[in-house]
């Protein structure tokens, strides 16, 4: 009887202890859940901080890009202004006009060809006075064509210079006539015909005082024909063949302008 009572007491004690164990297990689970939630919240906070940091970095990069874009626009505008200024001064040099200030924002990057510099130098003539007297018709025909050129009548001057060359293919004024015939074509943008006349002068009279200018105009005519590579080679050749001349200096300036234009584009 005593043993039975002891067994009942043990069973009762075990029964009373089970809810307490179960309660402790439930509390541990709740603590683990809370710790997991806290860990998740910390991860979310870390992720949010990273996102905010990336936003700040993106804003800084955007500001740098905008600043670089502004600097690039300023460089482009500066390059364009330099190109227009150089092109304007070169055109004035070709036309014999004095240099002027840089063109305004509305200036054209490709102005129409300027009128030729109509400052002629009579060729040096030596020989028998009787033979020189026979050149009177040649000089009169040459002056008639040249006067039309000075008056800006380029079509008429071209016609008269053609007639002169047909009548005097090897005359005293033939080199000059070839040059000014080329100018008559060049100023009206007939670049191919202009190039042919300048090249003819070079081929026939390579040491004439207008040969340097003729080579310069060959390069400019090539540029007018969109033969940019050939124009650059020809302009560079002017300084090699006729160093120290005004034509060589003008060719160098125009070559720089063409290269600057390429960079700008």
């Amino acid at each position: 009887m005593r043993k039975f009572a002891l067994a009942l007491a043990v069973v009762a004690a075990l029964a009373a202890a089970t809810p307490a164990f179960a309660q402790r297990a439930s509390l541990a689970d709740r603590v683990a859940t809370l710790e997991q939630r806290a860990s998740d919240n910390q991860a979310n906070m870390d992720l949010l901080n990273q996102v905010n940091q990336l936003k700040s970095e993106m804003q800084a990069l955007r500001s740098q890009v905008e600043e670089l874009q502004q600097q690039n626009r300023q460089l482009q505008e500066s390059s364009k202004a330099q190109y227009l200024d150089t092109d304007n001064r070169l055109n004035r040099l070709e036309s014999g006009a004095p240099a002027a200030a840089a063109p305004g924002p509305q200036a054209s990057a490709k102005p129409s060809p300027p009128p030729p510099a109509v400052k002629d130098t009579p060729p040096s003539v030596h020989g028998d006075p009787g033979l020189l007297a026979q050149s009177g018709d040649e000089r009169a025909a040459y002056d008639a064509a040249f006067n039309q050129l000075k008056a800006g009548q380029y079509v008429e001057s071209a016609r008269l210079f053609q007639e002169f060359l047909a009548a005097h293919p090897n005359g005293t004024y033939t080199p000059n006539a070839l040059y000014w015939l080329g100018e008559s074509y060049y100023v009206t943008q007939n670049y191919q015909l202009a190039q042919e006349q300048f090249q003819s002068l070079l081929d026939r009279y390579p040491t004439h005082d207008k040969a340097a200018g003729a080579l310069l105009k060959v390069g400019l005519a090539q540029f007018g024909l969109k033969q940019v590579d050939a124009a650059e080679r020809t302009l560079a050749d002017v300084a090699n063949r006729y160093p120290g001349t005004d034509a060589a200096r003008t060719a160098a300036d125009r070559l720089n302008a063409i290269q600057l234009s390429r960079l700008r584009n």
Side-chain angles (χ1 to χ4, degrees), residues 63-129:
S63 299
Q64 292 178 8
V65 169
E66 291 175 354
E67 183 178 354
L68 290 174
Q69 289 175 337
Q70 178 63 23
Q71 292 177 359
N72 185 50
R73 284 192 294 269
Q74 291 175 349
L75 287 174
Q76 289 179 339
E77 292 173 359
S78 176
S79 297
K80 180 179 180 180
Q82 291 176 7
Y83 169 74
L84 292 176
D85 178 57
T86 302
D87 194 64
N88 184 59
R89 287 188 290 110
L90 287 175
N91 285 330
R92 289 183 175 275
L93 285 173
E94 291 172 12
S95 64
Q106 301 300 322
S108 172
K110 294 183 178 179
S112 58
V118 288
K119 297 180 181 179
D120 200 22
T121 302
S124 299
V125 181
H126 305 281
D128 189 311

Side-chain angles (χ1 to χ4, degrees), residues 90 216 220 234-236 238-239 246-256:
L90 287 175
L216 167 65
L220 296 180
T234 301
L235 293 173
V238 177
D246 290 339
R249 287 187 287 272
T250 303
D253 288 342
R254 178 50 63 91
L255 181 59
N256 289 335

Side-chain angles (χ1 to χ4, degrees), residues 37 108 128 150 157 190 193 195 200:
R37 289 178 180 177
S108 172
D128 189 311
K150 289 192 296 182
S157 68
N190 292 310
L193 291 175
Q195 181 181 348
S200 178

Side-chain angles (χ1 to χ4, degrees), residues 130-153:
L131 294 177
L132 295 180
Q134 298 176 14
S135 67
D137 291 342
E138 177 188 345
R139 179 58 190 267
Y142 177 84
D143 285 345
F146 190 73
N147 288 335
Q148 290 298 313
L149 181 70
K150 289 192 296 182
Q153 302 299 320

